[in-house]
C-alpha cells in the first residue's frame, strides 16, 4: 500500500520532527483517518522525500517523527512550457494539474499579442500544482513563473532547445522528430487566436524552431498538454 504524501515546504533537512499546518493536519487526521503510529511521507517540493511516523494525531497540529530523508534525482533536463493563459480559468487549471502529473519543471504564463488573460491568481495555481505533485507521488514541485511578455521571453530564455508551436501555413516539424533528449527545453504555446505572423518571425529570428503538435487544430490547454506528453516521451527514450 502506498504511503500518503503531504507537503511540507518549510521542512529542514536536519529536522527530527515536524508539525503540519492546520489544513494539512485536518486532511491527514480527519479526512484520511491517520492516527498515531501511521507511517506517512513528507515532500518539500525540492526533491526530498521524508519518511515519518505520526506521534501526535491532533487534527489541528499533527506532529510526526522523521525517521529518514532521501534526495531524489531530478530530471536530466528541464521542460518549460510558456503558454498563453485562457480567459476561462478552469481550462488552464486543468492544464497545470495534468502537466504536473505527467512531468514538467517550469510553467511561464505567456503574454502575447492575442492573449486573453495577463493576470494570474498565483496562490490558487500553486495550490493546484502542489495537489497534483502529491497525488502523482512526486517530490519536485514545478515552478510557476510570473507572466512574461512574448518579446522579452524569446530574447531572454537560454534553454538549449527552443520551440514554437503555431498554426500558420509554414514548414514545421513534429516535436517528437526534432526534439533531443537530455537537453533543457522550452516550448511556446499560443492563445486561441494563435501567435501573430510577426511573433512567429520574431521567435524564429531568436533561434526557436517551428513545430507541429499534430494534424488537428488544438485548444491552447490541449496543445500545452500534448507538448508535455510528447516531450516526456522523448525524454523516456533516453532512459
Amino acid at each position: 500500500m502506498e504511503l500518503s504524501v503531504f507537503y511540507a515546504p518549510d521542512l529542514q533537512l536536519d529536522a527530527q520532527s515536524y508539525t503540519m499546518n492546520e489544513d494539512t493536519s485536518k486532511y491527514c487526521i480527519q479526512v484520511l483517518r491517520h492516527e498515531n503510529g501511521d507511517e506517512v511521507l513528507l515532500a518539500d517540493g525540492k526533491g526530498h522525500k521524508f519518511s515519518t511516523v505520526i506521534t501526535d494525531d491532533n487534527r489541528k497540529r499533527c506532529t510526526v517523527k522523521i525517521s529518514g530523508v532521501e534526495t531524489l534525482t531530478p530530471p536530466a533536463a528541464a521542460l518549460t512550457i510558456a503558454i498563453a493563459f485562457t480567459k476561462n480559468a478552469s481550462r488552464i487549471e486543468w492544464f497545470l494539474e495534468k502537466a504536473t502529473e505527467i512531468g514538467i519543471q517550469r510553467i511561464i504564463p505567456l503574454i502575447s499579442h492575442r492573449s486573453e488573460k495577463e493576470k494570474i491568481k498565483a496562490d490558487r495555481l500553486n495550490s493546484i500544482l502542489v495537489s497534483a505533485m502529491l497525488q502523482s507521488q512526486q517530490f519536485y514541485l514545478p515552478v510557476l513563473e510570473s507572466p512574461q511578455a512574448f518579446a522579452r521571453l524569446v530574447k531572454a530564455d537560454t534553454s538549449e532547445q527552443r520551440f514554437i508551436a503555431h498554426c500558420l501555413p509554414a514548414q514545421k516539424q513534429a516535436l517528437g522528430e526534432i526534439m533531443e533528449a537530455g537537453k533543457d527545453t522550452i516550448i511556446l504555446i499560443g492563445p486561441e487566436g494563435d501567435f501573430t505572423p510577426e511573433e512567429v518571425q520574431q521567435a524564429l529570428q531568436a533561434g526557436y524552431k517551428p513545430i507541429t503538435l499534430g494534424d488537428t487544430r488544438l485548444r491552447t490547454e490541449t496543445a500545452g498538454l500534448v507538448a508535455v506528453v510528447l516531450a516526456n516521451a522523448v525524454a523516456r527514450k533516453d532512459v
Side-chain angles (χ1 to χ4, degrees):
M1 181 177 178
E2 291 184 339
L3 298 179
S4 300
V5 186
F6 301 96
Y7 187 44
D10 55 343
L11 181 51
Q12 301 298 312
L13 288 176
D14 59 352
Q16 298 182 348
S17 64
Y18 182 77
T19 300
M20 302 177 189
N21 63 34
E22 185 171 345
D23 287 342
T24 304
S25 296
K26 182 178 179 180
Y27 184 66
C28 176
I29 304 304
Q30 192 168 321
V31 178
L32 297 184
R33 303 294 185 183
H34 282 300
E35 57 187 18
N36 288 340
D38 284 358
E39 295 181 5
V40 297
L41 300 175
L42 298 182
D44 63 359
K46 303 171 186 175
H48 302 116
K49 178 180 179 180
F50 296 85
S51 299
T52 76
V53 177
I54 296 176
T55 57
D56 183 358
D57 54 9
N58 188 299
R59 66 183 181 86
K60 289 189 176 181
R61 52 181 187 281
C62 175
T63 300
V64 300
K65 179 181 179 181
I66 299 171
S67 57
V69 57
E70 178 183 359
T71 302
L72 302 181
T73 303
L79 171 63
T80 298
I81 298 292
I83 183 169
F85 275 29
T86 60
K87 189 174 182 179
N88 186 332
S90 64
R91 286 165 51 190
I92 207 67
E93 290 174 0
W94 175 86
F95 163 73
L96 293 175
E97 179 184 73
K98 302 310 175 187
T100 300
E101 291 177 13
I102 295 167
I104 190 171
Q105 286 66 56
R106 187 170 63 135
I107 303 104
I108 302 175
L110 186 61
I111 303 173
S112 65
H113 181 71
R114 295 171 179 158
S115 289
E116 299 176 298
K117 192 170 187 177
E118 297 185 3
K119 295 181 179 180
I120 66 172
K121 295 181 179 179
D123 288 345
R124 174 172 173 77
L125 297 182
N126 273 302
S127 69
I128 291 171
L129 296 178
V130 169
S131 295
M133 176 189 70
L134 298 177
Q135 188 277 329
S136 55
Q137 296 272 310
Q138 298 186 70
F139 293 85
Y140 283 95
L141 181 66
V143 175
L144 177 64
E145 302 281 6
S146 299
Q148 295 188 33
F150 180 91
R152 179 179 179 183
L153 177 63
V154 296
K155 292 180 179 179
D157 194 88
T158 57
S159 298
E160 295 174 272
Q161 296 185 111
R162 293 173 290 165
F163 302 110
I164 180 170
H166 66 84
C167 302
L168 297 176
Q171 185 174 3
K172 293 169 282 188
Q173 291 181 270
L175 178 61
E177 297 176 354
I178 191 174
M179 180 179 168
E180 297 180 42
K183 292 184 177 181
D184 290 349
T185 301
I186 184 171
I187 304 171
L188 308 183
I189 305 293
E192 291 299 324
D194 200 12
F195 293 116
T196 64
E198 292 77 15
E199 287 173 328
V200 172
Q201 187 60 34
Q202 185 178 8
L204 298 183
Q205 291 175 349
Y208 285 73
K209 297 179 180 179
I211 59 168
T212 176
L213 298 173
D215 297 329
T216 59
R217 190 177 182 90
L218 305 175
R219 285 183 177 273
T220 295
E221 72 278 11
T222 308
L225 192 60
V226 169
V228 172
V229 171
L230 293 175
N232 273 274
V234 171
R236 284 195 294 271
K237 291 179 182 179
D238 196 45
V239 176

